Each structure stands twice: as structure tokens, then as C-alpha cells.
Amino acid sequence: MKIQRYDYASQFELFQEFMAELSAMIQSGHYVLSHEVAQFEADFARYLECSFVSAVNTGTDAIICALKVLDVRPGDEVITQANTFNATVAAICLAGARPVLVDVDENSFLMDTKEALTRVNSKTRVFLPVHLYGKPTPMQELMAACEKRGLHLVEDAAQAHGARVEGQRVGTFGVLGCFSFHPSKNLAAAGDGGAICTARADLKKRLDAIRALGQVGQNNHIYVGYNTKLDSIQAKVLSWKLPMLDKWNEQRREVARMYRERLSDLPLSFQAWDDKKKEEHAFHLFAVRTDRRDQLLEHLQSNGVDAVIRYPVPIHLQPAFSDFGWKKGQFPVSEALACELLCLPMRPNLKESEIDYTCASVASFFKGNVGIAKARNL
Ligand SMILES: Cc1ncc(COP(=O)(O)O)c(C=O)c1O
């Protein structure tokens, strides 16, 4: 039996008219910044309840462009967390700034905001928290600090489309919010894609120029920009999928509830989540924590469960960033999580029988069973 981690193609089965529309679009001959892109930007802005969206090629580009429109320069510092995906920190470096890492909270796996505040100095320009695995980072303290000290808050919401705190979508707390539409994401293109949202008309104007080689009006290039525009086919895919996002996120939360219920007696811990609180976790990933992680992974894989480690090497120990002089032991919670977290299959259409099978496999590992309970028919 195989429990797949992803099932990208199944989402398209819902859209019978989609291929006809796509074919009409291709016949039309308008592929770059066509009205499909403007339409998706308007759709996503409405969904986020945010004034503006600029769509770009990837989530990494979204972060680079966000830092560039804030005029981040060499020597400026951007504070982010040590347990994020490489792209967050690569984007800071590619924008020309210096990443400053902080450790994360033991229970939420999110930026330790108290530690982040201690790292502010005269070079700090931006806080860049990551809503990791789909869980919203607490924003109030960071927002207050930004207001008081004239800093910018930019959110990496690449894993948290649609997540909410007290009814407000993540990405809309900071001056800019960055999203990825990589096929693995909660809102997924049929390829790469990204976007930045903002409430500020001046930043939207600059973002639109910076993603298109700095051009404002035909042949008038006022910035040194990038060439990173979401393509029209992906915009169309995303507009088709967007109305389903809240339902898919609720299905993800239901999968998470079932996992937690079935695994609660085992020696595992989970990312903190109070289902009753006013937090809507988007459950991009569902992680379990155990000090026997590597053996559990091997056991699950041998039982056909497509579990995965996100992320086995924290940022400060990645060769790409060795120039920054970070040392082993410097961010102990991030290091522990890198050794102890394992992500179980998580997608909206995971069946109860697949969850049962996965949980039975996890239980058989801890209970020392040789085989596992035979799952019901899938
Ligand atoms: C936390 C985080 N930030 C940024 C990115 C970058 O997105 P993309 O892969 O679209 O460049 C990702 C994507 O995996 C991510 O998980």
C-alpha cells in the first residue's frame, strides 16, 4: 500500500471547463501580463481582504522584490528564523542584505519574537517572520516594535495561504506579504508562481515596475528591475483554484485533527495548535516530533507511507551561508527540530482509511510490532 504525500493532478479533475478556457487563452496569443494576471491579482487581493497584489514568478522572487521595493541595501539587516526553508534566507542575500537569524519557539516552531527584538540594532531594516507549516506567527509584538522603531514587517506566507488570526489573513499584517504557488503549496500553480500583497498603492506601483525590468510605461525604465512576472497560464490556474482554498484548508485541518486524535497516546509531540482559539492554521505540513525520527522515517517508508523531513539541516549549518560565521549550537531549538521533526502525508483529499493506515504504521513502530494492522480498503 502507498500513501502519497502529494496528489497534484487530482485538483484539476474538478475543473471540466478549465481546459477549454486554457485553450482559448493560448489561441488568443496574449501570454505576458495579460488580463488573466490582472484578474488573478484582483481575485487574490479580494480573498486576502487586502488592497493590492503583484504576481511574480516564484515565492523566492516575491521576497526579493518585497525587500527591493523597501529599498533594502547592502549593509542593511533583515531578521528571520533559523528553521525556515532556504529560500527565505537566499532571497535576503540576493536582495543584497545581511540575514540575521533568531531561534524559534519550542512549541510553535515559529520565530521567537522576544529574541528577535533583542537583535535589533542601527542596521536593522526588516523583520521577516515565516508562518511555518501554515501556522500564523504572533504578530502584535513585532508590529508594535516596527511602529516604534520605524522598521518594516514583511511576512513569508509561502506556506500559509488562507491561514487567519482573529479573522485576518496572514500576509496582511505586515507592510508586504509574500506567497509561493509552487505545486506543493496550499494554493498551487501547475508550475512555479508567487505574489506579494500590500495595502499601499505606492508599493504596488513600485512592485509592478520592479517585476518588469523597472519599466513604467513603454520603454521608460526607472529602476534596475527583475524580469519576474507570473505567466498567464499559471494566473488562470490560480484563479480557478482560489474559490476552493478555504474548503481545502478546512479539509487539511480535519486531517490534522484525525492525526492528533489517533496519535495522542504515542510518545510524540506536535506543533502547538489550539483548535478552539481564533487561529486558523493552514496545515501546509503536519509534523510529529520524536527523538527516534530517522528510524520512524525508515519504518514508514518501508510501509509505503511517503513521510518526509522538512528541514533536516537548519539555515545556519547550510554550506551556502557559511560566510556568515554561524556555529553549531547557536540556535539549539532549530537544531533539535531539524533532528526530530517528521512530516506525515498532508493533503486535503487524504482519506480516513489512509490516515488510519499511516497512524497504524506510526503506532506499530512505537509498539514494536513487526507488521502493521492491515488497513481498510482504500
Ligand atoms: C517558507 C518558504 N519561503 C519561500 C519559499 C519560496 O517559494 P518558491 O519555491 O515559490 O520560490 C518557499 C517555498 O518552498 C517556502 O516554503
Side-chain angles (χ1 to χ4, degrees), residues 255-266:
V255 172
R257 281 182 203 111
M258 289 198 256
Y259 271 142
R260 288 171 65 117
E261 210 178 273
R262 285 158 176 72
L263 299 175
S264 61
D265 291 339
L266 299 176

Side-chain angles (χ1 to χ4, degrees), residues 121-362:
N121 62 38
S122 59
K123 296 183 192 146
T124 309
R125 295 285 316 284
V126 177
F127 285 110
L128 182 46
V130 184
H131 304 295
L132 206 70
Y133 301 168
K135 183 175 170 68
T137 308
M139 283 293 162
Q140 299 310 328
E141 234 175 338
L142 290 177
M143 286 163 73
C146 286
E147 173 125 19
K148 192 167 151 207
R149 302 174 196 220
L151 304 174
H152 298 297
L153 180 57
V154 176
E155 295 167 69
D156 182 340
Q159 300 188 359
H161 321 67
R164 283 195 274 217
V165 189
E166 308 229 351
Q168 186 173 343
R169 305 269 191 206
V170 302
T172 65
F173 290 88
V175 63
L176 295 159
C178 304
F179 294 86
S180 161
F181 304 121
H182 178 273
S184 64
K185 297 299 193 267
N186 291 36
L187 180 62
D192 275 315
I196 309 112
C197 68
T198 183
R200 279 180 47 185
D202 61 323
L203 293 182
K204 161 70 176 163
K205 215 166 145 192
R206 291 191 69 192
L207 280 167
D208 282 355
I210 274 175
R211 74 170 166 188
L213 293 168
Q215 185 169 255
V216 177
Q218 192 77 26
N219 294 322
N220 181 34
H221 298 261
I222 62 172
Y223 309 112
V224 178
Y226 300 91
N227 190 5
T228 176
K229 297 158 286 196
L230 183 72
D231 82 63
S232 304
I233 295 176
Q234 302 309 340
K236 192 141 197 70
V237 169
L238 292 165
S239 281
W240 265 92
K241 287 188 175 185
L242 184 58
M244 310 294 288
L245 179 58
D246 281 343
K247 184 179 141 205
W248 287 335
N249 281 348
E250 186 46 46
Q251 289 172 328
R252 286 173 180 271
R253 283 189 283 277
E254 190 50 36
V255 172
R257 281 182 203 111
M258 289 198 256
Y259 271 142
R260 288 171 65 117
E261 210 178 273
R262 285 158 176 72
L263 299 175
S264 61
D265 291 339
L266 299 176
L268 290 170
S269 56
F270 311 102
Q271 187 179 31
W273 175 42
D274 184 347
D275 199 9
K276 308 219 166 49
K277 254 173 115 185
K278 295 198 166 135
E279 166 193 81
E280 285 174 53
H281 195 310
F283 280 104
H284 173 59
L285 295 170
F286 183 86
V288 296
R289 185 172 180 184
T290 165
D291 55 8
R292 296 171 65 199
R293 191 269 310 273
D294 291 347
Q295 297 97 305
L296 176 60
L297 175 64
E298 209 182 303
H299 176 81
L300 292 180
Q301 284 177 339
S302 69
N303 282 297
V305 176
D306 193 10
V308 69
I309 300 172
R310 294 275 186 268
Y311 300 98
V313 182
I315 294 296
H316 62 291
L317 303 179
Q318 288 283 359
F321 305 119
S322 57
D323 283 356
F324 295 109
W326 295 314
K327 299 273 180 307
K328 194 163 168 48
Q330 205 173 340
F331 304 104
V333 180
S334 298
E335 281 178 34
L337 295 176
C339 296
E340 295 174 9
L341 286 184
L342 183 64
C343 296
L344 302 183
M346 169 53 84
R347 51 185 160 80
N349 66 348
L350 206 62
K351 293 183 201 146
E352 192 167 352
S353 53
E354 294 176 303
I355 296 167
D356 286 344
Y357 180 85
T358 300
C359 293
S361 302
V362 175

